[in-house]
Amino acid sequence: MFIRNLFHIFSTLAIATIGFVPMPATAANPASVRTSHNFVSAQTVAAAETAAARPSTSPSPSAKDAPSQNNASPSAQLLPDEDKVTRLQIYLDEHSFGPGKIDGRWGEFIGKALQRFQAANGQPPSGQIDAALQQELEKISPVYTTCTLTDADLHWVGNIPSDPAGMAKLKKILYRSVLDYVAERYHADPEFIRKLNPGQNLSNLKKGSTLQVPNVQPFQIESIQPMADLPPRPELAQRIIRVDTKGRMLDLAEANRIIASFPITPGSKSLPAPIGTWKVVKVTILPIFRWDEAMLKHGRRSANFYTIPPGPRNPVGIIWIGLNKKGIGIHGTESPDTIGRSASHGCIRLANWDAARVVHQVTVGMKVEIF
């Protein structure tokens, strides 16, 4: 799939570090977590689909020895309660071991993320919450913060059609609802936001509306600026991206040690992600997407296509990391709910908040192993 690049000036993207303090969150003053993150870019796809965290500096497991995922969840009798699960999701998220969307429920990806985090810190990858980890989770306070909507927030929401012909007529592909905006900003399942705010009409949110949200470092779409080519970073060239298509996880490795990990959607049965060893050839932020049905279904370009402008609900999300395999890349998504649960067209799809973390941790020339 072909993506035309945006030739705009790129400014350094960063998210303010958030201390766990009970402070209201707004676009100008988000509540935060205990790490700092940076954001990044996108380019050429052969498929349709989408702010950067600093990787853990703790000792990491061998990149070729990612923990087994057969026992990634506690027994049914020992499943943690919602508060403990939410704390764990926030904790893993801030340490760049993505648990998937925050929803207060134990699921596949939280188990995989926990195992990888434990191995990265020299612990047996049990997938269980031990006493030491429980102490760390209890330090997270508050677990939830208050988000107060501003005009700047509502600027990112619009009446966006779902068909490519309609999207091609727009200047920017915005969020389709305020709930969609809030859920992605706080890495959460929209239904979890509903649960945290009983009695609120989330279909009629306005300036001044306040919501309870998970106290994570917010994904700040307003901080992301377009950039056609992220400058090379030679100091990152020896890192490796490893894509586990069966486990549906992307691991970032340095010196053969895993330093970050995120859930993905890796292709489909009809158009699987290409197995093999590849290289990153381009990194772009806020891509323009060439929607071509023939390319998406059959891998062949046609004269019938639509040019989709950039934005958080562009089919490839906010970044494109192009590989030296025509039309294949690692990118964000317009539908974070689908990560790990539905098919893509041969590419590797991440939630936008995770894609934004990955992008500033990679560089042109890096090896990508897909298996």
Side-chain angles (χ1 to χ4, degrees):
M1 189 170 307
F2 178 76
I3 296 179
R4 287 177 12 204
N5 298 310
L6 298 176
F7 296 96
H8 292 83
I9 298 173
F10 173 76
S11 60
T12 302
L13 306 173
I15 303 179
T17 302
I18 302 169
F20 281 95
V21 292
M23 172 185 295
T26 66
N29 183 30
S32 23
V33 196
R34 292 164 290 186
T35 57
S36 58
H37 301 264
N38 297 320
F39 283 105
V40 137
S41 5
Q43 175 232 358
T44 315
V45 192
E49 304 117 22
T50 247
R54 183 173 302 162
S56 169
T57 56
S58 306
S60 305
S62 166
K64 295 191 179 291
D65 296 318
S68 167
Q69 291 143 14
N70 294 329
N71 299 302
S73 62
S75 65
Q77 294 84 358
L78 299 176
L79 279 175
D81 59 27
E82 182 177 287
D83 176 76
K84 186 178 291 187
V85 172
T86 304
R87 289 173 182 271
L88 179 59
Q89 288 175 323
I90 291 171
Y91 184 82
L92 292 169
D93 183 272
E94 69 170 279
H95 284 84
S96 297
F97 286 81
K101 60 189 178 183
I102 294 175
D103 59 5
R105 296 184 295 179
W106 191 278
E108 172 188 0
F109 292 121
I110 189 174
K112 292 177 179 179
L114 177 55
Q115 287 184 313
R116 281 165 163 78
F117 175 78
Q118 289 170 327
N121 286 275
Q123 304 164 9
S126 66
Q128 308 293 317
I129 300 173
D130 61 17
L133 178 56
Q134 179 61 37
Q135 287 184 347
E136 291 299 311
L137 300 185
E138 290 173 357
K139 294 177 184 178
I140 298 176
S141 178
V143 177
Y144 305 106
T145 188
T146 300
C147 166
T148 301
L149 295 172
T150 67
D151 283 333
D153 295 320
L154 301 181
H155 171 75
W156 286 96
V157 180
N159 184 17
I160 308 299
S162 58
D163 64 293
M167 287 191 286
K169 297 176 182 178
L170 305 176
K171 293 182 178 180
K172 187 181 294 185
I173 308 301
L174 304 172
Y175 293 98
R176 293 183 170 89
S177 71
V178 180
L179 177 58
D180 185 27
Y181 167 84
V182 171
E184 179 157 286
R185 191 171 184 84
Y186 294 96
H187 314 185
D189 186 329
E191 291 308 309
F192 192 53
I193 299 296
R194 289 186 185 279
K195 185 174 183 178
L196 294 177
N197 295 276
Q200 283 228 53
N201 181 359
L202 300 190
S203 299
N204 191 35
L205 295 171
K206 302 174 182 178
K207 176 184 176 181
S209 294
T210 60
L211 295 169
Q212 281 275 99
V213 295
N215 191 13
V216 296
Q217 189 162 311
F219 168 69
Q220 294 179 318
I221 183 63
E222 70 275 13
S223 297
I224 303 178
Q225 299 297 319
M227 187 176 191
D229 292 282
L230 199 66
R233 297 182 62 186
E235 71 275 17
L236 303 181
Q238 297 307 308
R239 288 181 175 179
I240 299 175
I241 296 172
R242 304 193 75 242
V243 177
D244 181 349
T245 59
K246 293 183 179 179
R248 293 174 294 171
M249 295 291 287
L250 180 151
D251 296 328
L252 180 63
E254 185 170 47
N256 203 35
R257 315 299 289 180
I258 296 175
I259 58 176
S261 188
F262 304 99
I264 57 169
T265 292
S268 64
K269 288 185 178 180
S270 59
L271 286 171
I275 304 301
T277 300
W278 312 97
K279 283 191 175 182
V280 173
V281 295
K282 192 174 184 70
V283 182
T284 304
I285 294 174
L286 290 177
I288 292 174
F289 180 66
R290 185 183 188 275
W291 192 96
D292 184 335
E293 187 173 13
M295 186 68 175
L296 296 174
K297 290 185 176 180
H298 310 296
R300 299 189 301 270
R301 291 184 65 179
S302 73
N304 283 327
F305 66 90
Y306 297 98
T307 301
I308 311 299
R313 289 301 173 250
N314 179 289
V316 292
I318 60 154
I319 69 125
W320 173 259
I321 301 171
L323 308 185
N324 64 332
K325 171 69 173 175
K326 185 178 180 181
I328 299 299
I330 300 166
H331 60 86
T333 184
E334 61 180 339
S335 303
D337 282 354
T338 67
I339 295 301
R341 295 169 176 80
S342 66
S344 67
H345 295 81
C347 291
I348 293 89
R349 227 181 331 138
L350 293 149
N352 277 343
W353 61 83
D354 289 336
R357 301 173 191 215
V358 170
V359 73
H360 279 305
Q361 306 304 327
V362 303
T363 190
V364 170
M366 274 181 63
K367 183 188 295 185
V368 179
E369 297 176 351
I370 303 177
F371 60 95

